[in-house]
Amino acid sequence: MVVRSVGKVGLVATPLTAYFFLWAPILLLVLFSFNDSRSVDTWQGFTLRWYTNIFSGVMGTEARFSTELMMQALSNTLLVGLVSTLIATVLGTMIALSLARSQIPGKRIVDGLMFLPVVIPEITQGVSLAIFFKIVFDFLDTSAGMRATPGFGTIIIGHVAFNISYVAIVVRARLANMNPRLEEAANDLGANTWQTFRRITLPLIMPGIVAGGLLALTLSMDDLVVTFFNAGVGTTTLPMFVYGLIKTAVTPEVNALSTLMLVFSTIVVGVSLMLQNRYADRPYTRQ
Amino acid sequence: MSRGSGGSAVLPFTFDQYTRVFDTFWIVLQRSILVALLTTAICLVAGYPLAYFITRRKTAFGRQFALFLVILPFWTNFLIRTYAWRVILGREGLINSALLNTGIITEPLNLLNTEFAVVLGLVYGFLPFMVLPIYASLSRFDHRYIEAANDLGANDVTSFWRIMLPLTMPGVIAGCILVFIPAIGTFVTSDLLGGTRGLMIGNLIQNQYSGNGNMPLGAALSVVMMMVVVVALLVYARFGEEKK
C-alpha cells in the first residue's frame, strides 16, 4: 500500500516538477525584462526601459550591438529564412512525393539518407558544409579564377540542406495518412496524372506542406550552429547577434530582446497549430 | 591531413590528428560521452512519467493542452532558453541572491561554468525530445493490458516492468537517441553554461575551425564523434525498430 501511494504521488509530482522546470526559466526571463533594475536579483518595479533601449540606441555597452546592426541582423534572418524555406519546401515536397509514389531503385537508401540531417549533430553538419564550401571555392578560384566568399549564399544553401529533410518527413507523414483510393478514383474518372496531382493530391497534402514550411521557417530563424560555420565575415543573423550579446554580458536588454523573439515564435507556433486544426479533414485520411 | 598555414588542411595524409584526439583530448571525449549519457538518463527518468501523465488526461483538450505545454518551450529559441539559465545560475543570479538574502549561504555558490550547469541546460533543452516519442508510443498503448495483468495478480510495479515498458520500448529508444546525439555534439550549451570547465567535444571542434585553428584536427574530432553517433544509431536499429 505504501509503495502504491508513493508511486501515485510520484506519477503526479514528477510531471508537475517537469512542467515547472520547463516553464520557470522562460517566465522568469519575461518577468525580468520588465524589471526596473540592472541586476536580476530583486524586483524594483515595472519598466519598459529595456525595450525602448533596444529600439532607440545602444544595448549593452558596445557599439557593435547597436540598434542599426540588430535591425540588419533581423532583416538578414528574415531574408535567409524566407528564401531557404521556400526552396526547402518545394524540394522537400518533391522528394516526399517521389519517395511515396515511385519505385525508383535505391529508394530505401534515399529514404535513409533523408533522416540523416535530423539525426546527426548540428555541429557536424555545419563543419562538413564549411569544408564543402571551401573545396568548391578553392576549385573555382584555381580553375576559373572566380573569387567567392561565404555569405548569404552559403547560409541559405546550409539552411536548405537541413530543412529539406524536415519538410520531406512532415509531408511524407501526411502522404502516408492519405487514402490512396482517392487518387485511384480520380484516375478512373478520367483525370490525367497532372490533374490528379493538382486537384486531389496537392490540396490534401497542403496542410503537411504548410506545417513543414512553418517548421522550416522556425528552424531557419533559430539556427545558430550551421549559420555560425558558414556565415563568413560581415553577414550576421539575429541568433548570431544575440549570441554575441550574451557572450559579452548579461544585460536586461537581452531579456527584452529574448522576450520579443519568444513572442514571435509563439505566434508562429500558434498559427501552425491553428492551420493544422482547420485542415483536420478526417474523412479523407486513412485511419 | 597535416596542418597547413592558417590552420587549413594540406597533404600529406597522416594519422597524427587521430593520435592527438585519443591522447590529448581523450578526457574531453570521455566527458562528452558521460555528460550525454547522464543527460539521456535524467531525461528518461523525468520524461517517461511526464509522457504518461499526458496520455492519462481524460479529455482530448486536456491531452492537447498538456502536450502543448511541452511543445511550446521546445519551439522557443534554443539560445534564449540556454541564456535563461545563465540568469538563474550566475553569481548574481536568482538562486544565489535568494540563498544569500535568506542567509542560508554567505558566499555565492559557483553554479555557472560547471559540468552541473551543462547537464542541467542539456536536460532542459532536450527533455521534449524524450517526451514526444514516448508519448507517441504510450498513446498507442492499450491500457487494458495493465488491467488484465492486475486481474492476473501482477502489482503495479510488475505490470510496468513486464508489460508497459517493453511495449513502449521503441519510443523510449527513439527518445534516448534523439537526446543523446544532440547532447554529445553540444556546443552552445556548453559554451554558455560550462565555460572552460564544461569544455565538450563540440567546443573543441568549433575552436579548430575558427581563427587560426587546426582544421584537420577538427575534422578528426568530428569523425570520432560521428563514430560514437553511428554506434548509438546501430543500437537503435538493433533494438528500436524490431518490435514495430
Side-chain angles (χ1 to χ4, degrees):
Chain A
M1 265 334 261
V2 176
V3 173
R4 205 182 171 117
S5 52
V6 167
K8 283 249 154 66
V9 171
L11 274 182
V12 178
T14 320
L16 293 184
T17 318
Y19 277 128
F20 178 75
F21 177 67
L22 281 174
W23 280 91
I26 298 177
L27 296 178
L28 281 172
L29 198 67
V30 174
L31 183 70
F32 277 93
S33 72
F34 297 109
N35 188 14
D36 196 7
S37 159
R38 272 229 157 249
S39 68
V40 286
D41 51 359
T42 42
W43 178 259
Q44 298 193 341
F46 180 88
T47 180
L48 286 174
R49 186 148 51 109
W50 315 121
Y51 288 90
T52 47
N53 269 10
I54 293 179
F55 293 105
S56 66
V58 180
M59 60 193 85
T61 45
E62 290 174 60
R64 64 190 171 108
F65 297 124
S66 67
T67 306
E68 199 185 322
L69 286 177
M70 184 190 80
M71 283 307 180
Q72 208 183 337
L74 179 65
S75 73
N76 286 348
T77 308
L78 289 172
L79 182 72
V80 168
L82 290 175
V83 174
S84 67
T85 299
L86 203 67
I87 301 173
T89 309
V90 173
L91 292 178
T93 307
M94 281 160 67
I95 291 176
L97 277 168
S98 63
L99 281 175
R101 292 286 179 269
S102 69
Q103 303 297 327
I104 51 165
K107 192 175 134 180
R108 286 186 69 93
I109 300 172
V110 180
D111 218 6
L113 282 177
M114 206 173 73
F115 280 92
L116 207 59
V118 181
V119 293
I120 64 169
E122 259 188 302
I123 192 159
T124 321
Q125 204 168 13
V127 164
S128 49
L129 276 163
I131 296 178
F132 169 76
F133 287 132
K134 189 165 165 32
I135 293 171
V136 171
F137 289 164
D138 283 352
F139 177 75
L140 282 178
D141 196 14
T142 50
S143 66
M146 280 167 66
R147 285 236 161 241
T149 47
F152 273 115
T154 49
I155 300 178
I156 289 173
I157 294 173
H159 284 204
V160 169
F162 68 77
N163 271 335
I164 283 181
S165 297
Y166 287 94
V167 175
I169 288 167
V170 173
V171 176
R172 255 207 99 163
R174 181 84 193 173
L175 273 169
N177 274 325
M178 211 177 99
N179 195 338
R181 295 212 187 102
L182 291 167
E183 287 177 343
E184 287 163 24
N187 267 327
D188 289 348
L189 293 169
N192 62 31
T193 318
W194 171 247
Q195 284 170 328
T196 311
F197 173 72
R198 179 76 192 74
R199 306 287 295 269
I200 306 288
T201 317
L202 192 61
L204 282 177
I205 60 169
M206 209 36 157
I209 298 176
V210 172
L214 283 172
L215 180 65
L217 184 66
T218 329
L219 287 171
S220 168
M221 293 188 62
D222 275 1
D223 177 76
L224 173 73
V225 180
V226 171
T227 317
F228 191 93
F229 283 103
N230 296 293
V233 187
T235 322
T236 304
T237 60
L238 200 55
M240 283 176 80
F241 182 85
V242 175
Y243 185 68
L245 203 57
I246 293 174
K247 283 287 276 184
T248 322
V250 175
T251 68
E253 285 93 346
V254 186
N255 298 349
L257 188 56
S258 302
T259 305
L260 291 179
M261 288 169 79
L262 209 85
V263 170
F264 182 79
S265 48
T266 310
I267 292 171
V268 176
V269 178
V271 169
S272 138
L273 289 177
M274 244 170 57
L275 282 173
Q276 279 176 24
N277 274 338
R278 232 176 78 187
Y279 284 110
D281 32 274
R282 301 243 179 262
Y284 301 114
T285 57
R286 179 161 57 187
Q287 285 298 318
Chain B
M1 288 201 244
S2 313
R3 181 183 174 191
S5 63
S8 62
V10 292
L11 289 170
F13 288 109
T14 154
F15 281 103
D16 286 357
Q17 307 302 345
Y18 286 95
T19 325
R20 280 191 68 196
V21 171
F22 286 106
D23 287 348
T24 321
F25 299 119
W26 174 241
I27 191 158
V28 180
L29 188 65
Q30 213 176 12
R31 175 164 55 206
S32 299
I33 295 175
L34 275 176
V35 164
L37 284 176
L38 189 61
T39 304
T40 313
I42 298 174
C43 281
L44 181 59
V45 172
Y48 203 103
L50 182 54
Y52 181 79
F53 178 82
I54 299 172
T55 48
R56 295 312 273 170
R57 297 302 88 206
K58 297 274 186 312
T59 60
F61 174 78
R63 275 194 301 278
Q64 268 181 4
F65 186 69
L67 199 59
F68 177 76
L69 285 180
V70 176
I71 293 175
L72 194 70
F74 169 61
W75 279 66
T76 306
N77 192 308
F78 192 77
L79 197 58
I80 294 175
R81 291 191 292 153
T82 311
Y83 164 72
W85 280 107
R86 253 173 101 97
V87 176
I88 295 170
L89 297 175
R91 278 185 81 80
E92 289 164 16
L94 279 172
I95 293 181
N96 267 328
S97 47
L99 290 177
L100 282 172
N101 288 342
T102 49
I104 295 173
I105 51 167
T106 48
E107 280 282 296
L109 296 172
N110 233 344
L111 297 170
L112 207 61
N113 301 333
T114 57
E115 281 173 41
F116 163 77
V118 177
V119 173
L120 191 70
L122 288 174
V123 170
Y124 181 65
F126 300 137
L127 186 61
F129 281 122
M130 183 66 85
V131 175
L132 298 177
I134 296 181
Y135 169 76
S137 264
L138 268 175
S139 59
R140 281 197 300 268
F141 176 75
D142 191 340
H143 287 272
R144 279 175 297 188
Y145 287 138
I146 296 288
E147 284 167 31
N150 284 341
D151 288 347
L152 294 170
N155 62 27
D156 289 350
V157 178
T158 319
S159 50
F160 171 75
W161 281 107
R162 301 278 300 267
I163 295 165
M164 200 154 111
L165 192 61
L167 282 173
T168 51
M169 214 35 160
V172 170
I173 307 253
C176 287
I177 293 292
L178 284 178
V179 172
F180 179 78
I181 290 176
I184 196 159
T186 177
F187 140 66
V188 177
T189 314
S190 42
D191 191 33
L192 290 180
L193 300 178
T196 47
R197 286 288 204 74
L199 191 71
M200 301 262 284
I201 192 165
N203 308 92
L204 270 182
I205 295 175
Q206 188 252 316
N207 286 341
Q208 302 313 320
Y209 280 92
S210 55
N212 254 5
N214 183 344
M215 276 174 101
L217 178 61
L221 283 164
S222 309
V223 170
V224 171
M225 187 171 79
M226 278 307 289
M227 290 301 161
V228 178
V229 169
V230 167
V231 169
L233 286 175
L234 286 177
V235 171
Y236 173 66
R238 174 77 183 73
F239 297 103
E241 304 262 358
E242 221 168 24
K243 293 182 189 101
K244 271 185 189 166

